[in-house]
Amino acid sequence: MASNTSTRWWITLLGWLVACLLFFPIFWMFITSFKTEVAAVATPPQLFFQPTLENYVAIQARASYFTFAWNSVVISLGATILALLLAIPAAYAMSFFPTKGTKGTLLWMLSTKMLPAVGVLVPIYILARETGLLDTRIGLIIIYTLINLPIVVWMTYSFFKEVPKEILEADRMDGASTFQELRHVLLPLALPGIASTALLSIILSWNEAFWSLNLTTFDAAPLTAFIASFSSPQGLFWAKLSAASTLAIAPILIFGWVSQRQLVRGLTFGAVK
């Protein structure tokens, strides 16, 4: 008993140490946002200082935070919903009606994530410009959907594979159509997995910076572009940049914290089957 208690204590201590290391950059960014520009670059770094809200006042006066935040919400939710609408039928077909090319298709989809984004920047930029999707929410929703679709399909496929085929076969014997089978049987059984997939897609869309910086200017610019706007040829204003970054990550951090139980439940769906 004493040995098990000691082992558990050391594992807990190690977990806290790792957590502190991972969250220290966020903590330092947060406290830097309340420093003056002079204090932010002071050497040695100041842990104790006179806090100020001047950075938050300055960035709000320079740009409307809520405009960028609303763009992030619309784009992230729109891309996630569209990705799920495409991924669920694809995962359903590949899970319960596989062919010889199913595994190859899945591997090919995953391999697209290895493509450097900058390699297709020019053609996608030209397409967006010619179709009128440049600096629009719809344009970013389409791009983010295509970016996240391989991961969403893979995760949805793995969750569907955990559902016993016998349940679906029994439903078919009762005369259920494909749509009824998908809606009333499969989706409720795989709901934890689908929810975790949606949460992950929202987080990935929220954090995407490359395409938002290259395909938007102001009208559809999300919070990643909001952060980048505080770098200038004169240099980086660390205090204001930290304040902008804190405002940008705060919604997704709160969202992740509130939904962590659902996320963990979905990612471990079927693990003890």
Side-chain angles (χ1 to χ4, degrees):
M1 282 294 284
S3 177
N4 291 337
T5 303
S6 177
T7 301
R8 192 179 304 112
W9 188 87
W10 282 109
I11 291 176
T12 302
L13 179 61
L14 179 62
W16 275 104
L17 288 175
V18 172
C20 289
L21 287 174
L22 291 175
F23 282 96
F24 179 77
I26 298 176
F27 165 75
W28 193 256
M29 177 187 68
F30 177 73
I31 66 172
T32 302
S33 69
F34 293 98
K35 296 180 179 180
T36 62
E37 290 294 345
V38 175
V41 296
T43 304
Q46 298 179 0
L47 185 59
F48 301 100
F49 56 92
Q50 183 67 34
T52 177
L53 294 175
E54 66 179 26
N55 299 310
Y56 291 95
V57 174
I59 63 176
Q60 184 60 32
R62 175 176 170 178
S64 175
Y65 165 77
F66 294 102
T67 300
F68 292 92
W70 178 245
N71 285 338
S72 286
V73 170
V74 172
I75 292 168
S76 299
L77 290 179
T80 298
I81 293 172
L82 183 56
L84 287 175
L85 290 175
L86 296 173
I88 288 175
Y92 170 77
M94 289 187 285
S95 298
F96 300 104
F97 306 97
T99 64
K100 292 182 179 180
T102 295
K103 290 186 178 180
T105 301
L106 287 169
L107 290 174
W108 170 77
M109 293 183 68
L110 194 61
S111 69
T112 61
K113 295 294 296 178
M114 305 175 190
L115 176 69
V118 70
V120 292
L121 172 60
V122 173
I124 288 181
Y125 182 90
I126 294 174
L127 284 172
R129 185 188 63 188
E130 296 300 321
T131 55
L133 295 177
L134 202 60
D135 197 22
T136 64
R137 294 172 184 166
I138 296 177
L140 280 188
I141 287 174
I142 294 173
I143 293 295
Y144 288 4
T145 298
L146 297 176
I147 292 173
N148 295 332
L149 191 59
I151 295 177
V152 175
V153 170
W154 261 89
M155 291 185 66
T156 309
Y157 170 80
S158 65
F159 295 135
F160 282 178
K161 290 291 288 185
E162 297 294 336
V163 177
K165 293 183 179 180
E166 292 76 12
I167 296 178
L168 300 183
E169 292 173 354
D171 197 50
R172 291 172 199 153
M173 292 180 64
D174 289 338
S177 64
T178 301
F179 178 76
Q180 290 173 331
E181 174 186 316
L182 187 63
R183 178 183 177 185
H184 297 293
V185 180
L186 185 59
L187 291 183
L189 289 174
L191 186 60
I194 294 174
S196 67
T197 302
L199 293 175
L200 182 61
S201 178
I202 290 173
I203 293 171
L204 292 175
S205 298
W206 190 279
N207 294 333
E208 174 60 42
F210 179 82
W211 293 107
S212 65
L213 294 177
N214 286 285
L215 298 181
T216 64
T217 52
F218 177 77
D219 292 340
L223 285 171
T224 47
F226 173 72
I227 297 173
S229 67
F230 286 90
S231 62
S232 67
Q234 290 76 27
L236 295 176
F237 296 92
W238 291 108
K240 292 180 179 60
L241 190 60
S242 296
S245 300
T246 300
L247 288 174
I249 69 171
I252 202 66
L253 278 180
I254 296 172
F255 177 73
W257 180 265
V258 171
S259 60
Q260 61 176 323
R261 181 174 298 180
Q262 182 63 42
L263 183 62
V264 172
R265 180 189 175 197
L267 292 176
T268 56
F269 177 71
V272 295
K273 179 182 174 183

